[in-house]
Amino acid sequence: MVLSAYIQYYHRASMQVAVVFDSAGTLLRTYRVVKDVQSGELLMDIETTMLTFADPDRVLCVLHGHTRDFMKAPPETLVSDYLRERCIAFGISCTRRVVERETVKAILRDDKNATLGDMQECMRIIWPEIKGREIVALNNGLIVHTGHKMIEFCVTAGGTPFQGAKKTITGLHQMGVFTYIASGDREAKLERMADYLGIPRDRVFGVATPAIKEKIILDLKQQYDIVVMVGDSINDLRAMRAADIAVLSFEQPSVKPRELTLEADHCIRDLRAVLDIVNDIMKKS
């Protein structure tokens, strides 16, 4: 009995498990505002990945500029002029199909519709929701339409960690589990969040499209015995399919596509449930 228990403990201790987390909506309670540039309509707390996936010609881009600088600029300035003159870089965060970066760059450079005032309107709505929090992630982006060759939507998203996020990461590390972040958000913002949560920066992958998330999972499966993907949105679907175990989080309320719920091995409403899931995996393996 003693020898059997020792062998079981040794096998469990030697098994390598990695857990990959999406950021917005999974690790972070996220607030989003989207402005339709043509109609002027403001869409509150909308799922930007779902909005992007609704049209195969849409591409969600993350801007590598600081919110404070965007807010200081004259509101009538065209976004295209500002990005070009300030040499603001961007990353492709989400798209349904493969799109050449140069195609998106040309649209961002030549658009004559979106102004900084459109972006600033979104920023002003989000900031009161997150100011005063201990740790904050704020991202600004644009959804371009490659068919119409225009900036279709301006996006601002701000997030703060869910109550159980830090405890979950700490608990996984105590179990000997390796944790990662793979997200469409800016890497600089993710690294600050990772520092707070205790995830090493070299395990943070920012501006990750669905295809890149999938590749990250496949690469990690070459290094670990079991890879778990924890996500909350349609842009996590490919990664969830590639993972050994797929966990779908409902902690941030939103409508989940049926294909996402069908793919999930576990559905959770509190991030801390990941600890029990991983513990069970390690016991059974």
Side-chain angles (χ1 to χ4, degrees), residues 121-136:
E121 192 171 357
C122 296
M123 296 172 196
R124 289 192 188 95
I125 294 171
I126 287 295
W127 181 243
E129 297 287 347
I130 59 176
K131 68 178 181 180
R133 305 294 180 95
E134 182 179 2
I135 187 79
V136 169

Side-chain angles (χ1 to χ4, degrees), residues 45-86:
D45 237 4
I46 190 170
E47 189 84 39
T48 50
T49 54
M50 290 293 291
L51 181 62
T52 303
F53 267 66
D55 188 325
D57 287 328
R58 287 175 180 164
V59 181
L60 174 60
C61 304
V62 177
L63 301 179
H64 298 301
H66 199 287
T67 300
R68 180 178 57 248
D69 296 330
F70 286 126
M71 289 298 294
K72 287 181 178 179
E76 67 276 7
T77 305
L78 286 173
V79 170
S80 55
D81 289 344
Y82 184 87
L83 298 181
R84 186 175 58 254
E85 292 168 5
R86 299 291 186 95

Side-chain angles (χ1 to χ4, degrees), residues 24-25 30-34 43-48 126 156-157 252:
T30 304
Y31 305 86
R32 302 180 183 93
V33 176
V34 174
L43 309 173
M44 311 300 291
D45 237 4
I46 190 170
E47 189 84 39
T48 50
I126 287 295
T156 295
Q252 176 151 330

Side-chain angles (χ1 to χ4, degrees), residues 12-55:
R12 181 181 175 188
S14 61
M15 185 175 64
Q16 299 287 289
V17 178
V19 179
V20 182
F21 292 91
D22 173 50
S23 176
T26 302
L27 287 172
L28 308 179
R29 168 62 174 102
T30 304
Y31 305 86
R32 302 180 183 93
V33 176
V34 174
K35 183 172 182 179
D36 185 320
V37 173
Q38 285 191 307
S39 70
E41 181 183 6
L42 288 169
L43 309 173
M44 311 300 291
D45 237 4
I46 190 170
E47 189 84 39
T48 50
T49 54
M50 290 293 291
L51 181 62
T52 303
F53 267 66
D55 188 325

Side-chain angles (χ1 to χ4, degrees), residues 117-243:
D118 295 320
M119 294 181 61
Q120 291 165 357
E121 192 171 357
C122 296
M123 296 172 196
R124 289 192 188 95
I125 294 171
I126 287 295
W127 181 243
E129 297 287 347
I130 59 176
K131 68 178 181 180
R133 305 294 180 95
E134 182 179 2
I135 187 79
V136 169
L138 189 62
N139 287 285
N140 299 296
L142 303 164
I143 296 178
V144 304
H145 196 285
T146 57
H148 301 320
K149 294 182 171 54
M150 62 173 290
I151 296 173
E152 190 175 6
F153 301 98
C154 296
V155 179
T156 295
T160 58
F162 282 116
Q163 187 175 3
K166 193 167 187 176
K167 181 179 179 180
T168 300
I169 300 302
T170 300
L172 289 172
H173 291 170
Q174 290 172 345
M175 294 164 63
V177 174
F178 296 82
T179 58
Y180 291 80
I181 298 176
S183 171
D185 293 336
R186 279 203 297 146
E187 194 158 305
K189 296 292 184 182
L190 291 174
E191 287 178 345
R192 184 179 173 216
M193 193 65 57
D195 291 344
Y196 170 79
L197 295 172
I199 298 176
R201 288 191 173 194
D202 62 355
R203 296 186 202 150
V204 175
F205 300 92
V207 197
T209 64
I212 291 175
K213 287 187 179 185
E214 179 185 39
K215 186 177 187 307
I216 290 167
I217 295 294
L218 293 174
D219 288 346
L220 291 176
K221 287 176 73 172
Q222 302 301 311
Q223 304 175 44
Y224 299 97
D225 298 303
I226 295 177
V227 177
V228 180
M229 176 66 199
V230 186
D232 80 301
S233 187
I234 191 66
N235 64 326
D236 299 313
L237 180 61
R238 291 177 62 167
M240 290 172 67
R241 284 176 174 163

Side-chain angles (χ1 to χ4, degrees), residues 97-113:
R97 59 182 178 82
V98 176
V99 179
E100 292 293 331
R101 182 181 176 82
E102 287 303 313
T103 299
V104 177
K105 185 176 180 179
I107 295 170
L108 294 177
R109 180 191 63 217
D110 299 332
D111 180 80
K112 301 301 180 184
N113 297 294

